[in-house]
Amino acid sequence: MDKDEIHLRRLPTAAPWGPHADSEFHGVDFLPEDLNEALETGMRVNKKYSCLPAEEKGIHIINIRAIEDIGYDQHESTLLNSLSKNPDADCKYGLYFRDGKRKVDYILVYHYKKSSAGKTLTRRVHHNDSSARSARQDQPLPGKGVQLEMGESEPHVDYHEDDKRFRREEYEGNLVEAGLELERDEDTKIHGVGFVKIHAPWHVLCREAEFLKLKMPTKKMYQINQTHGLLKKINSVIQKITEPIQPKVAEHKPQMVKRLSYPFSREKQHLFDLSDRDSFFDSKTRSTIVYEILKRTTCTKAKYSMGKGEGRKKETALLNKRRKCGKYGITSLLANGVYSAAYPLHDGDYEGENVEPNDRKLLCEEWASYGVFYKYQPIDLVRKYFGEKIGLYFAWLGVYTQMLIPASIVGIIVFLYGCATVDENIPSMEMCDQRNNITMCPLCDRTCSYWKMSSACATARASHLFDNPATVFFSVFMALWAATFMEHWKRKQMRLNYRWDLTGFEEEEDHPRAEYEAKVLEKSLRKEHKHKEKHRYFPEETANKWRQRTDKEKLTWKDRFPAYLTNFVGIIFMVGLTFAIVFGVIIYRISTAAALAISSTPSGRSNVRVTVTATAVIINLVVIIILDEVYGCIARWLTQIEVPKTDKNFEERLIFKAFLLKFVNAYTPIFYVAFFKGRFVGRPGDYVYIFHSFRMEECAPGGCLMELCIQLSIIMLGKQLIQNNLFEIGIPKMKKFIRYMKLKRRRSLDHEEHMKKKQRYEVDYNLEPFAGLTPEYMEMIIQFGFVTLFVASFPLAPLFALLNNIIEIRLDAKKFVTELRRPVAVRAKDIGIWYNILRGIGKLAVIINAFVISFTSDFIPRLVYLYMYSENGTMHGFVNHTLSSFNVSDFQAGTAPNDPMDLGYEVQICRYKDYREPPWSENKYDISKDFWAVLAARLAFVIVFQNLVMFMSEFVDWIIPDIPKDISQQIHKEKVLMVEVFMREEQGKLQMLETWKDKEKKKGENCNNHSPRLSRSHSGSLSSCHSYPLDV
């Protein structure tokens, strides 16, 4: 036969297999005896895996290519018949092991290289309860003592791949020792990718649930306190009204009774309802337990001997250097490429014909669909499927979206009030009145000419829509709204903690990260090396003490000082870069305005301000979106070099850095327009210049508030639309399409293979990996800043945020259900550091709105004029009061307009917006007393507004209790009921003990009263007396 073909013989079903099998395999003589050692090396993993049930009678296949590669030829062969029934249907296409009974709780994925002979065959081996056998051998393993045939060159061996394989073998062996059951599958439609299916048996689940202190429902049920009287009627009416917008999910229905929960204990299994063990631990809990085992199971070394030779020595040194971190958990193995992915499986398909009902399908229909945008979220089902941490995110997002409804309504009313009163606003009417004939000074040197104030009529009228007395009320309202929102969320969070049995949950210290352990080990080895050099000869006792001391080593601030310094310098540099970009946009605005001012077309000159503002804001938006992605990567790198100890510390530090950089990036252009633009302009004849050529830009005659509104609205809306449509929809779909095309290109041309239905773990592998909740929270926190920080300038911000969030909830839901691999469920009782960030933004919003109202808007100057300078108690004359006069003869040389007769008459005096002395005064162009009066009023308003609103916010915080009264009563009731359960249990034990003692006492008396003549039976009675405790 041709050497490339594979020669197989049928093995008896009871044939033993493994390192101790007979060389003849019970009459099958196609393997020589001296191959046992090679097989022993190559089949090391046989005892770790299982593929087919012991009951299944079939054909067992071994990869004979391994034997052929090491120099042995095969002889006669017998054709194999395929299995009659499809095993994929029995295991529900990957949701169960091949026996159809054991559920797949977790998947490990790795890459391997197939031999050049073609597709590797599957090796399937019987297993029993006592030992699990190997499912598959991906490549021939080099065996000890096997010599190559004469004339054959030594085959090329990839030592990195071998090292990875042996690490996998060791790690998986440790998993089996930890009690997990594994099954390998490399016969998939994805070329070069193998899967290890993991199942946690019942005793492992019980053990780990006790270690993790998981609260599980007991048999004891109790009635939840219901409202009575008027409140009950109100609640029933509300339930009937809101019934159409409730999701059709069993978990969302109001509960009348609740099971008492208690941390699981193997000694107290009688407390729990274990009638259905398969459903007692749901899929989310099972995957969490397996993940905990994967994290703490380590792989300490590779078993492969690298051989001899200079090249191999280099390879060995490289691998030893890589193995210097000592222990490998699943995170380290993923980082080193030993495994390429690790994830729990989704419950099944969410669309298609004949799809079995499952939680994923239900979530897709009742939650992850745009058609149900008006309904409440099934938060309990989300928690059941994805875990508490993701459930809390969507619950918080739902509460935030609900709270935006009243804010949006009030914002619309404020905007409509501005629209209704725009024709009654005296200052804007004066600006639009052409009879006033107010001539304004040029907006730039030489090329700009004098202009009429009435030409800015449209800007003045539009400014009134957002700059009116109602915006002050709206700022106070939004400050109180933020405080109420935080309190409402705390109460909602407590309700969820009660419903989800998290009331007594305290987060334990997480496992140290692999990078942290590597750094600690490196530090201890370095210290040990120095110590050995100093003390080459010292007693063994001293050496042991030294080792114990190095085992307790940890990283100090001195070890992290270079990283801290890099973080500080890096953050300062990034903030400086943001400022530099904003400064560059300012230069663009000034230069573009000067260039457009010399335009030959009148329309170009008249629309200079609108054109410059719009283009500059678009540039800012593009820069913000690009820098957001850059800053996210830089924040992660800066956090990695700090080497935080635990994942929680890593996440908190990453969030803080990313938020700081993205906050500065998003709000710096807005801060510039709100507080700096037009403040440092100077005056005609003495302007402030940048680079001695560009004049600082001024605000429009109606003030900078209108421009602030334009800037805020474009950045907020553009950021949300682009990030939602491009980053959250477009890019994931593009990545999915690219992966699909790559897999299609690699896929075998075999028609039968192509038509075979994919296993669940293959389908999930093609999904996008879960990257954490930080990007989702960050997007919403930045939006929360837009809604609260500058709401005085843009009352419609809550409305646009509400519309965005309605789409965002369903978009994120669809992404989690259909686009992402199922994340590992994480227990959490709150939203963590994000709550503190929200509180900080709420406090900062009060201060910023106070400054926006007092310094950016004309609210304070109007009040000062109305109560100090108005002759008739009205706003007539306000515009003239805010304008100062300038004599055109005082222009600096070369700054006067080139065409002074552009308006058709000679101008002697022009006006500009400022509080300065007139040219006919003794101290001409000096700051006037009116300026100081307005400034004092502005500062006083900031102080009063800030303290008043802060006090009101604290009052709201104090008056609303963090824990709802009914929840605190239910928690107390649970504690009392649990005490009662244990008291009854103790009383039962005492009664049983007393009964046993009484019976023992009576037996003893009966034994002592026996007659001497019945001595033969006496001994039997005594023996029965002594055997009684055993019966008990």
Side-chain angles (χ1 to χ4, degrees), residues 972-1025:
H972 178 70
K973 186 177 180 180
E974 276 195 353
K975 290 179 180 178
V976 172
L977 288 172
M978 188 55 68
V979 170
E980 287 180 4
V981 168
F982 284 117
M983 288 297 292
R984 286 176 187 170
E985 189 177 348
E986 291 298 322
Q987 288 173 2
K989 287 180 181 179
L990 287 173
Q991 288 177 1
M992 187 182 294
L993 187 62
E994 287 174 1
T995 305
W996 180 80
K997 284 182 178 179
D998 292 342
K999 288 184 177 180
E1000 182 72 17
K1001 190 175 180 182
K1002 288 177 182 179
K1003 274 284 185 184
E1005 290 175 357
N1006 292 336
C1007 291
N1008 293 332
N1009 292 335
H1010 278 310
S1011 173
R1013 59 191 173 176
L1014 297 175
S1015 58
R1016 186 176 297 178
S1017 63
H1018 178 69
S1019 60
S1021 301
L1022 283 174
S1023 65
S1024 66
C1025 291

Side-chain angles (χ1 to χ4, degrees), residues 539-786:
E540 189 65 27
E541 255 181 67
T542 315
N544 290 335
K545 285 181 181 177
W546 173 256
R547 285 193 195 95
Q548 288 175 6
R549 203 166 66 189
T550 54
D551 285 343
K552 298 178 182 178
E553 200 69 60
K554 62 181 181 179
L555 296 183
T556 62
W557 69 269
K558 291 181 181 179
D559 302 316
R560 290 194 174 107
F561 180 75
Y564 289 154
L565 184 62
T566 306
N567 270 259
F568 178 76
V569 173
I571 290 173
I572 294 297
F573 175 76
M574 292 302 136
V575 172
L577 177 65
T578 304
F579 289 163
I581 290 172
V582 172
F583 183 73
V585 175
I586 293 170
I587 298 296
Y588 162 79
R589 294 161 68 113
I590 295 170
S591 58
T592 306
L596 291 176
I598 60 175
S599 173
S600 58
T601 58
S603 61
R605 289 196 298 269
S606 61
N607 296 322
V608 167
R609 195 178 295 276
V610 176
T611 306
V612 168
T613 301
T615 54
V617 172
I618 291 171
I619 292 171
N620 275 327
L621 173 63
V622 173
V623 169
I624 286 170
I625 291 173
I626 293 172
L627 286 184
D628 259 359
E629 301 302 313
V630 174
Y631 286 167
C633 298
I634 290 173
R636 180 169 290 277
W637 176 75
L638 291 175
T639 310
Q640 285 172 346
I641 64 173
E642 276 189 59
V643 198
K645 184 175 182 180
T646 63
D647 287 329
K648 185 180 179 184
N649 292 340
F650 181 88
E651 186 181 21
E652 288 181 350
R653 295 186 185 195
L654 173 62
I655 288 168
F656 176 75
K657 292 181 185 66
F659 173 74
L660 179 63
L661 292 174
K662 292 188 178 186
F663 181 89
V664 172
N665 181 41
Y667 295 112
T668 300
I670 301 172
F671 270 95
Y672 164 72
V673 174
F675 302 120
F676 296 99
K677 185 179 179 182
R679 310 288 171 193
F680 311 101
V681 178
R683 60 170 180 82
D686 188 22
Y687 283 114
V688 177
Y689 291 90
I690 301 174
F691 305 132
H692 304 288
S693 56
F694 296 111
R695 217 171 84 184
M696 288 294 289
E697 55 182 346
E698 304 176 38
C699 289
C704 278
L705 197 69
M706 185 60 197
E707 190 171 341
L708 176 62
C709 174
I710 295 171
Q711 183 104 359
L712 186 66
S713 58
I714 292 178
I715 290 178
M716 178 182 175
L717 297 176
K719 199 168 183 294
Q720 290 180 350
L721 289 173
I722 292 174
Q723 283 187 336
N724 283 353
N725 294 321
L726 181 62
F727 291 167
E728 294 195 18
I729 298 176
I731 291 180
K733 285 190 178 295
M734 187 174 66
K735 286 181 178 178
K736 187 177 179 182
F737 178 74
I738 292 171
R739 278 200 306 273
Y740 171 76
M741 295 303 294
K742 284 182 178 178
L743 292 172
K744 192 175 180 181
R745 198 178 302 121
R746 292 178 186 172
R747 192 174 292 161
S748 172
L749 297 176
D750 185 8
H751 181 70
E752 184 181 346
E753 181 78 10
H754 179 72
M755 295 303 294
K756 189 173 69 173
K757 183 177 178 181
K758 278 189 176 182
Q759 303 285 336
R760 167 50 47 198
Y761 42 85
E762 294 179 76
V763 176
D764 286 2
Y765 177 68
N766 292 329
L767 299 177
E768 192 75 15
F770 176 63
L773 288 170
T774 301
E776 314 299 335
Y777 272 115
M778 189 68 70
E779 182 185 345
M780 290 296 104
I781 296 295
I782 296 296
Q783 186 205 81
F784 182 77
F786 282 123

Side-chain angles (χ1 to χ4, degrees), residues 101-275:
K101 298 175 182 177
R102 292 172 294 170
K103 189 173 183 181
V104 176
D105 298 319
Y106 218 85
I107 291 291
L108 299 179
V109 187
Y110 60 92
H111 288 276
Y112 67 94
K113 293 183 179 178
K114 291 188 177 182
S115 63
S116 59
K119 193 165 115 175
T120 309
L121 295 177
T122 306
R123 188 183 65 237
R124 295 175 178 176
V125 183
H126 283 308
H127 68 279
N128 52 37
D129 294 335
S130 61
S131 65
R133 301 289 186 182
S134 176
R136 192 169 168 82
Q137 180 77 4
D138 56 335
Q139 277 212 351
L141 304 182
K144 293 182 287 185
V146 179
Q147 301 294 328
L148 293 172
E149 290 187 0
M150 293 294 294
E152 286 190 14
S153 60
E154 183 179 349
H156 174 73
V157 181
D158 190 338
Y159 299 109
H160 294 287
E161 288 298 321
D162 288 343
D163 182 67
K164 288 179 183 179
R165 185 171 70 250
F166 282 115
R167 282 196 230 180
R168 285 197 296 268
E169 290 177 9
E170 183 188 355
Y171 182 70
E172 290 160 14
N174 293 338
L175 291 179
V176 172
E177 288 177 7
L180 298 178
E181 297 176 3
L182 311 182
E183 181 178 278
R184 191 190 294 273
D185 182 14
E186 290 178 359
D187 187 21
T188 64
K189 296 182 76 173
I190 304 176
H191 178 78
V193 176
F195 298 89
V196 177
K197 296 173 275 188
I198 302 177
H199 168 77
W202 172 256
H203 70 277
V204 173
L205 293 173
C206 294
R207 181 190 71 203
E208 297 298 323
E210 186 173 348
F211 291 166
L212 296 173
K213 300 176 183 177
L214 295 180
K215 270 192 170 183
M216 304 302 294
T218 63
K219 296 176 184 177
K220 177 72 175 177
M221 301 181 73
Y222 67 95
Q223 189 104 13
I224 297 176
N225 293 339
Q226 300 295 324
T227 54
H228 301 285
L230 182 62
L231 284 176
K232 185 176 181 180
K233 293 180 180 178
I234 294 173
N235 285 340
S236 63
V237 171
I238 292 174
Q239 284 181 7
K240 287 180 181 178
I241 293 173
T242 59
E243 188 175 357
I245 59 174
Q246 300 289 347
K248 297 175 182 177
V249 175
E251 285 81 357
H252 199 76
K253 294 177 181 177
Q255 296 178 342
M256 299 298 176
V257 293
K258 187 177 184 291
R259 285 187 180 273
L260 196 62
S261 297
Y262 185 72
F264 188 83
S265 172
R266 287 172 289 181
E267 295 179 356
K268 300 185 183 297
Q269 287 193 28
H270 58 277
L271 295 176
F272 304 95
D273 184 11
L274 303 179
S275 56

Side-chain angles (χ1 to χ4, degrees), residues 809-977:
I809 289 175
R810 307 303 164 180
L811 180 68
D812 284 347
K814 197 172 186 64
K815 183 171 69 174
F816 272 82
V817 173
T818 65
E819 300 287 338
L820 298 179
R821 293 175 192 160
R822 188 174 183 177
V824 180
V826 179
R827 286 189 299 168
K829 62 187 301 183
D830 52 39
I831 59 174
I833 193 174
W834 297 110
Y835 181 80
N836 298 326
I837 292 175
L838 285 168
R839 283 187 67 88
I841 291 177
K843 304 289 184 187
L844 184 63
V846 176
I847 301 170
I848 289 179
N849 280 305
F851 276 94
V852 167
I853 293 169
S854 59
F855 284 92
T856 309
S857 74
D858 283 337
F859 178 74
I860 300 300
R862 287 172 187 169
L863 285 181
V864 171
Y865 177 79
L866 186 64
Y867 293 106
M868 291 182 63
Y869 301 104
S870 178
E871 297 177 358
N872 52 7
T874 63
M875 293 301 295
H876 288 288
F878 170 73
V879 174
N880 188 56
H881 176 75
T882 58
L883 298 177
S884 299
S885 300
F886 177 75
N887 194 329
V888 297
S889 60
D890 294 331
F891 271 122
Q892 290 181 352
T895 61
N898 294 332
D899 186 10
M901 299 295 293
D902 186 54
L903 294 178
Y905 56 88
E906 187 179 355
V907 178
Q908 299 293 331
I909 299 291
C910 66
R911 311 295 296 274
Y912 61 99
K913 192 172 184 180
D914 204 350
Y915 291 101
R916 291 183 179 270
E917 297 290 342
W920 49 84
S921 171
E922 293 181 2
N923 304 315
K924 65 177 183 177
Y925 308 133
D926 285 350
I927 294 173
S928 64
K929 294 178 181 179
D930 299 342
F931 172 82
W932 299 110
V934 171
L935 180 62
R938 281 174 165 164
L939 293 175
F941 176 82
V942 168
I943 294 170
V944 172
F945 181 89
Q946 177 184 334
N947 286 282
L948 179 63
V949 175
M950 288 282 192
F951 170 76
M952 294 170 71
S953 300
E954 292 297 328
F955 179 74
V956 170
D957 192 0
W958 172 75
I959 202 171
I960 301 175
D962 293 346
I963 305 176
K965 188 177 179 180
D966 59 327
I967 296 299
S968 60
Q969 289 175 352
Q970 298 289 358
I971 293 171
H972 178 70
K973 186 177 180 180
E974 276 195 353
K975 290 179 180 178
V976 172
L977 288 172

